[in-house]
Amino acid sequence: SITLRVTAPDASVLYEGVPTEMRFTASQYGLYFVDYLLADASGETATRRFLVSVLDREPPQFTLSGISSRAEIGEAVTLPVPNVTDNLDVECGGYIVIRNVKTYISEVIYTAEAGSWSEYRHTFEAAGDYEIIYVVSDAAGNTAVASADIRAE
């Protein structure tokens, strides 16, 4: 006899039964196991396993709003939480970099673990043009980047 078993990445069995023309929808990212279980009349058994890898290659999407284009030296500016969506509806993490446009000196000023974004207040200590760069990553490592320019006077 031959039995077909298809197991999803979360270990749930999607199908187990007589192999026929079978189709399944890969609704999760990760590794699916397709096993053919063979048994003969004398009780000898064998298993043939095939792996199907479903990868998440879609980066998260996000928008920024509420970043002022001007800042006063010595006063704190609030950098907002990005509005992030991911194709898997998972929480995304990331970081914020500030880059001096003239000197190209960059500094990571804020880091967020997945799902822990919060407003960040930054104080500009020197006049100049700056780029605020948000980098957002999902659990699969897909990354999206957006930036805003601020002039500190």
Side-chain angles (χ1 to χ4, degrees):
S1 70
I2 301 174
T3 303
L4 171 64
R5 181 173 52 226
V6 179
T7 308
D10 67 358
S12 63
V13 175
L14 301 177
Y15 178 82
E16 186 163 7
V18 178
T20 59
E21 183 177 317
M22 190 246 161
R23 295 174 191 227
F24 69 93
T25 301
S27 60
Q28 302 170 32
Y29 290 95
L31 203 55
Y32 287 79
F33 298 99
V34 179
D35 296 314
Y36 285 92
L37 310 163
L38 310 159
D40 65 15
S42 66
E44 295 292 319
T45 62
T47 301
R48 177 71 177 179
R49 173 169 277 181
F50 298 91
L51 304 176
V52 177
S53 182
V54 179
L55 304 175
D56 174 12
R57 298 197 186 270
E58 187 175 329
Q61 303 293 314
F62 72 101
T63 56
L64 296 174
S65 61
I67 296 180
S68 175
S69 62
R70 297 213 177 275
E72 295 290 327
I73 296 170
E75 289 185 22
V77 173
T78 299
L79 301 177
V81 174
N83 181 16
V84 182
T85 57
D86 186 63
N87 60 318
L88 295 180
D89 291 329
V90 297
E91 299 287 344
C92 295
Y95 55 94
I96 302 172
V97 174
I98 186 166
R99 182 177 71 88
N100 183 305
V101 174
K102 183 177 181 181
T103 64
Y104 296 104
I105 295 174
S106 299
E107 176 186 3
V108 175
I109 59 172
Y110 178 81
T111 302
E113 296 298 323
S116 69
W117 285 95
S118 61
E119 286 186 347
Y120 177 78
R121 295 183 56 77
H122 180 74
T123 302
F124 291 90
E125 311 237 344
D129 293 322
Y130 296 88
E131 182 179 23
I132 306 298
I133 305 164
Y134 281 70
V135 180
V136 176
S137 299
D138 65 15
N142 301 308
T143 302
V145 178
S147 64
D149 296 322
I150 294 180
R151 172 168 281 177
E153 301 177 310

